[in-house]
Amino acid sequence: MIRLILSFLLVVAPITILAQVDTYNQITPDGNVTTRGQRNNDQKEGNAKKEIPKGIKVWTVDSRFGDREEASLDTLSHMFMNSIFTTGVRGEYNTLGNLGAPRMNRVFIDNPLYEQFIFTQPYNFFIKPVDQFHFTNTFSPITNLSYNTCGDRTDGEDHFTAKFGVNAGKKIGLGFNFDYIYGRGYYASQSSSHFNYTMYGSYLGDRYQAHLLFSTNHQKVTENGGILNDEYIIHPESFSINYQTTEMPTVLERNWNRNDNQHVFFSHRYSLGFNRKVQMTEEEIEAKKFAIAAKKDKEKREALLNAEKNNTTIEQVMPEKKFAGRPDDAVIAGTEAEADSIMKSNRIAVEGQAQADSLLMAEQVEAEDTSWLKNEYVPVTSFIHTLKADNYNRIYQAYDSPVNFYARTYNKIGTYAGDSIYDNTKHFSIKNTFAISLLEGFNKWAKAGLKAFVTSDLRHFNLPDSLGGIDTYTEHNLSIGGQISKTQGKALHYNAIAETWLTGEDAGQLKLDATIDLNFPLFGDTVTLAASGFFYRQNPTFYFRHYHSRHYWWDNSLSKIIHTRIQGLFKYEKTRTTLRVAIDEIKNHTYFTQSYKIEEDFSRTANMVQIKQHSDPITLFTASLSQNFTLGPLNWESVVTWQKSTKEDVIPVPDLNIYSNLFLRFKIAKVLSCDFGADVFFFTKYYAPDYSPALGQFTVQEGNHRTEIGNCPIVDVYANFHLKHTRFFVMMSHVNAEIGDKNYFLVPHYPLNGRVLRFGLSWNFFN
């Protein structure tokens, strides 16, 4: 980790030095040469009182149309301590235990649908989709450095991120993100190492807008197959040897999953419309006042410098303005208040009709400037193009497998000699979407926004064949669709989109999505009633239909999955209550199953992973209640989720999933905000999804050795702090590891870490 930080500083430091170096002579923007002495005087006279402007706006971009949606910058200290966990902010994910390990949400409706390249989806803690990425617009360059750590060099976890954003004028925003995870693991053969580098840019003009995003990712995870015997954790007293976690035997050794992927996203649009005068916002009015004051301040500062240079008075340099009786330092304003004072105290001497006319014109211009109206370009019709290109390479590599571990072995293609495994698959896709948009409010008779689009999706896959070569699969699909939406206003919003596939492997697919929300006041606050739903008739993704490897092999002809969901939401800000209810019905549900035998010595044999499709409809009910309370400094936040599946052996879910957070909120010395408390997550027992190391996927348990997990609370104690631009925390996670039930598994045979002391820091820099 130290080497990583030093490398990062070596890259950033030269840029910083170049920005700060003060050579003897410099050329100003107007072409004049200044000396160091002159610049030092300037700083003393004017720049000493100036402050670096602070401010940043962030937004997300729709991956299909490039529509912008305002987002909130992650600067709150609340729940910052839990943002470091692979298990999620509220412990809602099942995971293998280590930082950066694969994970899966226990709340079924919060799990994303399978994408074409399924192998990176369990790493959504690290890989963020396009529509969750934050583009930035900043008043001044901003840098955020975050770091959290625990443990030591042999068994600890480190996570370092760096974010940088800058603007080149008002319209162009640029930046990069750097993300590095290194989890050495508290159990044997469990380490993870992830790397991400992302560059982004945006251009927001009146007629033309564009967003560009490029990222490269690498994920490497050591697969241990879980510990050999769960009793090492549940009943350690039954063994004559006191095993440390790193000494517990594991099912596998020298096995790795590697994913390398690169992504390019580019969305741009050209809009036709008209200009109109609109009232400025309060923020814009204040900004303009300051700009006017700054402009006058600059003129007077230049006059003073010229007067000093020519050994004259300011009245001689600017004869039309009289400053008698006013000290020079009062002219050079460093604050808005001083600038306003200067503007009010100016005295103009009028000599002749020409000067009177000139001054009258100036007053008219200034009056127009201070009328607080601005020109606004109103787009009516937009022509949109979005390009999304993705490239993936996945390798499962094993130098050693236990005897009879796999039920089947296929031709030793794509593998090393002997028992070594080298399963490799590649995939790339290029998706282009062209759309025409009639923006919301474009016509007094048609208040909603309308879009029509066509999408071309080219997909290519590589798999080993049975003769030692490569099987290639190319799928080209063409789809069309439309959208109607209303996003403006406060009371009612809705959005509906339909897409159907005309040609290609996915011909006959249909996707319908709709959302609506109504907001109205009640007893001094706002009530939100929202509903959403979808109807999907989809082809199972590629790797459900085809997969070739050393020990798993299938080519399936599968029916289309029919999935319907209806969801309602009630939210009342006054009582801080949120209720969510959903019903899912799925026909031809397609999923992975895994089975194996556990021998008397606890070794695994006859491992088999298969694809299954359940033809009968499965219904799943979900109800989730979120309730927060505050009494003075005491705060209590809870989320309780109930789920029920009509086919538990196909879609297993826990009946109850609970998160609760109790903390005191107070300030130290009136400047240091502190949250001190404890939180807990808990779920009832169920046959949770197992995990297949060779496939890198979560699977439904089958066979005679199914394992139940759950009914074991996980408690953390923390102190969370916020001071100006800095957030930091100290936490003892899983503080109850040695108390009560020790069945702390989130995935069968993969225990969580025990009691661990953790530290974290996030610091914003404006420069």
Side-chain angles (χ1 to χ4, degrees):
M1 190 61 215
I2 300 299
R3 292 181 181 177
L4 171 68
I5 296 175
L6 288 175
S7 299
F8 179 79
L9 293 176
L10 287 173
V11 174
V12 174
I15 301 174
T16 306
I17 292 170
L18 286 174
Q20 295 179 347
V21 71
D22 191 16
T23 55
Y24 187 76
N25 292 334
Q26 290 185 6
I27 300 177
T28 62
D30 57 7
N32 296 322
V33 177
T34 63
T35 66
R36 180 187 298 179
Q38 290 172 330
R39 289 191 298 277
N40 289 340
N41 289 334
D42 292 346
Q43 290 177 352
K44 291 178 182 178
E45 293 176 345
N47 297 337
K49 295 183 180 180
K50 289 188 177 181
E51 293 184 2
I52 297 173
K54 300 180 179 68
I56 181 172
K57 293 182 179 180
V58 297
W59 64 91
T60 59
V61 170
D62 176 72
S63 60
R64 187 196 302 270
F65 301 118
D67 293 337
R68 292 189 299 143
E69 182 173 347
E70 185 178 350
S72 298
L73 190 66
D74 181 23
T75 58
L76 297 178
S77 62
H78 179 56
M79 300 298 288
F80 172 54
M81 71 288 174
N82 282 7
S83 65
I84 69 171
F85 288 128
T86 309
T87 50
V89 175
R90 292 175 176 81
E92 64 272 29
Y93 285 88
N94 286 350
T95 177
L96 307 189
N98 192 28
L99 176 67
R103 69 178 190 174
M104 181 181 187
N105 204 312
R106 285 191 300 278
V107 180
F108 179 82
I109 60 175
D110 290 335
N111 270 310
L113 301 178
Y114 280 108
E115 299 176 354
Q116 291 299 326
F117 195 80
I118 62 176
F119 302 106
T120 56
Q121 284 190 258
Y123 301 98
N124 58 11
F125 171 75
F126 183 74
I127 301 176
K128 299 298 182 183
V130 169
D131 53 12
Q132 292 182 17
F133 185 83
H134 283 180
F135 289 85
T136 62
N137 187 291
T138 68
F139 291 162
S140 61
I142 182 172
T143 302
N144 172 265
L145 301 179
S146 299
Y147 176 66
N148 65 80
T149 184
C150 69
D152 53 35
R153 294 183 178 181
T154 59
D155 57 8
E157 299 174 355
D158 292 292
H159 188 182
F160 174 74
T161 64
K163 300 178 181 180
F164 175 77
V166 66
N167 262 53
K170 295 181 179 180
K171 298 180 180 180
I172 300 176
L174 304 168
F176 70 82
N177 292 354
F178 174 80
D179 196 349
Y180 180 74
I181 285 178
Y182 184 32
R184 292 170 289 283
Y186 283 86
Y187 298 87
S189 302
Q190 194 195 35
S191 65
S192 64
S193 177
H194 301 338
F195 172 90
N196 163 268
Y197 184 77
T198 300
M199 295 184 294
Y200 65 91
S202 63
Y203 177 85
L204 301 179
D206 290 336
R207 291 172 174 79
Y208 182 75
Q209 296 185 355
H211 292 86
L212 176 64
L213 184 65
F214 169 77
S215 63
T216 180
N217 299 277
H218 171 76
Q219 303 93 47
K220 179 182 178 183
V221 172
T222 306
E223 304 284 6
N224 66 11
I227 60 175
L228 201 63
N229 186 353
D230 294 352
E231 294 297 306
Y232 295 139
I233 295 293
I234 301 172
H235 295 111
E237 69 280 358
S238 62
F239 296 91
S240 59
I241 301 175
N242 184 19
Y243 286 103
Q244 299 298 314
T245 56
T246 54
E247 298 171 337
M248 295 177 184
T250 56
V251 175
L252 298 175
E253 296 178 351
R254 299 197 300 164
N255 284 240
W256 295 272
N257 264 308
R258 291 184 176 90
N259 286 289
D260 289 282
N261 43 96
Q262 300 82 36
H263 312 273
V264 176
F265 171 80
F266 178 59
S267 180
H268 59 142
R269 64 176 62 197
Y270 185 82
S271 300
L272 304 177
F274 59 92
N275 288 289
R276 67 180 179 186
K277 289 276 189 179
V278 297
Q279 185 72 25
M280 288 185 178
T281 65
E282 291 184 6
E283 292 180 354
E284 290 171 331
I285 291 174
E286 291 303 317
K288 187 166 184 177
K289 284 182 179 179
F290 191 82
I292 293 173
K295 182 179 179 181
K296 292 180 177 292
D297 172 43
K298 180 181 178 181
E299 292 174 353
K300 294 162 189 173
R301 186 183 298 112
E302 291 175 349
L304 277 175
L305 293 175
N306 289 333
E308 181 180 354
K309 180 179 179 181
N310 299 321
N311 196 23
T312 60
T313 64
I314 190 171
E315 287 82 355
Q316 291 174 313
V317 176
M318 299 178 68
E320 74 277 11
K321 296 188 178 182
K322 303 300 182 183
F323 300 97
R326 298 177 59 242
D328 291 347
D329 58 353
V331 178
I332 303 172
T335 66
E336 182 182 358
E338 291 172 333
D340 288 338
S341 175
I342 289 172
M343 286 191 293
K344 292 177 182 177
S345 62
N346 286 346
R347 296 292 182 267
I348 308 298
V350 179
E351 299 177 1
Q353 185 62 37
Q355 188 175 357
D357 294 340
S358 175
L359 288 173
L360 179 62
M361 183 179 296
E363 290 175 358
Q364 291 173 347
V365 171
E366 183 169 337
E368 182 179 354
D369 285 343
T370 57
S371 63
W372 315 130
L373 293 177
K374 65 176 181 179
N375 279 320
E376 181 184 69
Y377 184 76
V378 181
V380 175
T381 303
S382 294
F383 300 92
I384 303 168
H385 169 236
T386 297
L387 167 68
K388 193 170 183 290
D390 304 295
N391 183 59
Y392 299 90
N393 183 28
R394 186 255 177 176
I395 297 170
Y396 174 65
Q397 187 174 6
Y399 289 111
D400 186 22
S401 299
V403 177
N404 299 323
F405 181 79
Y406 294 100
R408 299 172 183 171
T409 299
Y410 298 93
N411 294 337
K412 296 183 180 181
I413 44 87
T415 68
Y416 295 123
D419 293 330
S420 296
I421 302 172
Y422 190 84
D423 295 335
N424 181 223
T425 182
K426 296 180 180 180
H427 163 56
F428 72 80
S429 67
I430 300 176
K431 181 181 288 188
N432 283 281
T433 297
F434 300 89
I436 299 177
S437 172
L438 300 178
L439 276 72
E440 188 173 338
F442 67 93
N443 186 294
K444 66 179 181 178
W445 305 110
K447 298 296 184 182
L450 298 174
K451 291 187 180 78
F453 65 91
V454 56
T455 298
S456 168
D457 185 8
L458 176 65
R459 308 191 296 246
H460 183 83
F461 304 86
N462 284 356
L463 286 171
D465 65 15
S466 58
L467 302 176
I470 296 176
D471 275 335
T472 61
Y473 302 80
T474 301
E475 301 176 351
H476 184 211
N477 300 282
L478 188 69
S479 64
I480 59 172
Q483 181 190 47
I484 181 171
S485 63
K486 181 182 183 300
T487 60
Q488 298 177 7
K490 296 181 179 180
L492 178 67
H493 311 100
Y494 56 82
N495 178 42
I497 186 168
E499 183 177 16
T500 185
W501 278 254
L502 304 179
T503 63
E505 183 69 24
D506 295 338
Q509 277 194 167
L510 176 64
K511 293 181 69 175
L512 303 173
D513 289 270
T515 62
I516 185 170
D517 66 84
L518 178 65
N519 305 274
F520 57 91
L522 179 66
F523 302 127
D525 220 316
T526 302
V527 172
T528 298
L529 295 176
S532 63
F534 62 71
F535 173 83
Y536 292 168
R537 185 174 68 235
Q538 285 186 285
N539 203 22
T541 55
F542 176 82
Y543 290 100
F544 281 110
R545 293 179 276 122
H546 305 282
Y547 186 68
H548 303 166
S549 69
R550 176 73 174 273
H551 298 289
Y552 306 143
W553 195 292
W554 57 75
D555 290 286
N556 297 319
S557 178
L558 300 172
S559 302
K560 285 185 170 58
I561 304 168
I562 301 175
H563 188 177
T564 305
R565 174 179 297 165
I566 299 174
Q567 181 174 233
L569 181 140
F570 167 83
K571 185 176 183 180
Y572 188 32
E573 295 289 350
K574 192 177 187 68
T575 61
R576 300 160 70 188
T577 303
T578 302
L579 175 64
R580 184 172 59 151
V581 179
I583 301 176
D584 286 76
E585 184 178 271
I586 309 173
K587 184 178 181 181
N588 297 327
H589 178 63
T590 307
Y591 58 103
F592 295 105
T593 67
Q594 179 173 238
S595 62
Y596 46 78
K597 296 179 182 179
I598 301 180
E599 305 295 341
E600 292 184 0
D601 61 354
F602 297 100
S603 63
R604 311 300 198 264
T605 60
N607 179 281
M608 181 183 299
V609 173
Q610 300 180 82
I611 298 294
K612 290 195 174 180
Q613 193 170 57
H614 190 79
S615 59
D616 295 332
I618 302 172
T619 303
L620 189 136
F621 301 90
T622 305
S624 182
L625 175 64
S626 174
Q627 182 64 64
N628 300 338
F629 299 99
T630 298
L631 181 62
L634 184 65
N635 292 264
W636 185 22
E637 303 173 343
S638 297
V639 181
V640 180
T641 303
W642 173 81
Q643 300 175 100
K644 190 62 179 178
S645 170
T646 59
K647 197 67 176 175
E648 291 280 357
D649 58 341
V650 176
I651 303 180
V653 291
D655 289 342
L656 283 177
N657 191 80
I658 300 172
Y659 173 80
S660 191
N661 182 21
L662 185 66
F663 62 96
L664 294 171
R665 174 166 290 172
F666 54 91
K667 283 192 174 183
I668 300 174
K670 298 183 180 181
V671 294
L672 180 62
S673 300
C674 178
D675 290 350
F676 176 73
D679 66 354
V680 58
F681 71 84
F682 168 89
F683 58 93
T684 53
K685 274 195 172 183
Y686 77 118
Y687 289 104
D690 205 344
Y691 176 76
S692 168
L695 198 62
Q697 296 293 301
F698 289 94
T699 65
V700 173
Q701 296 187 62
E702 279 198 343
N704 299 323
H705 295 89
R706 298 200 302 160
T707 302
E708 273 191 314
I709 62 171
N711 278 358
C712 182
I714 309 297
V715 180
D716 305 323
V717 176
Y718 64 88
N720 210 17
F721 301 96
H722 188 201
L723 178 64
K724 292 187 177 179
H725 304 302
T726 306
R727 298 176 291 168
F728 57 98
F729 69 84
V730 180
M731 170 194 283
M732 182 66 76
S733 64
H734 200 179
V735 70
N736 63 323
E738 302 300 323
I739 303 173
D741 189 353
K742 300 175 184 176
N743 188 17
Y744 46 84
F745 295 82
L746 299 186
V747 174
H749 318 303
Y750 289 88
L752 279 177
N753 295 334
R755 187 184 299 120
V756 177
L757 182 64
R758 300 176 181 272
F759 303 91
L761 170 71
S762 180
W763 201 329
N764 293 324
F765 300 89
F766 295 89
N767 185 13

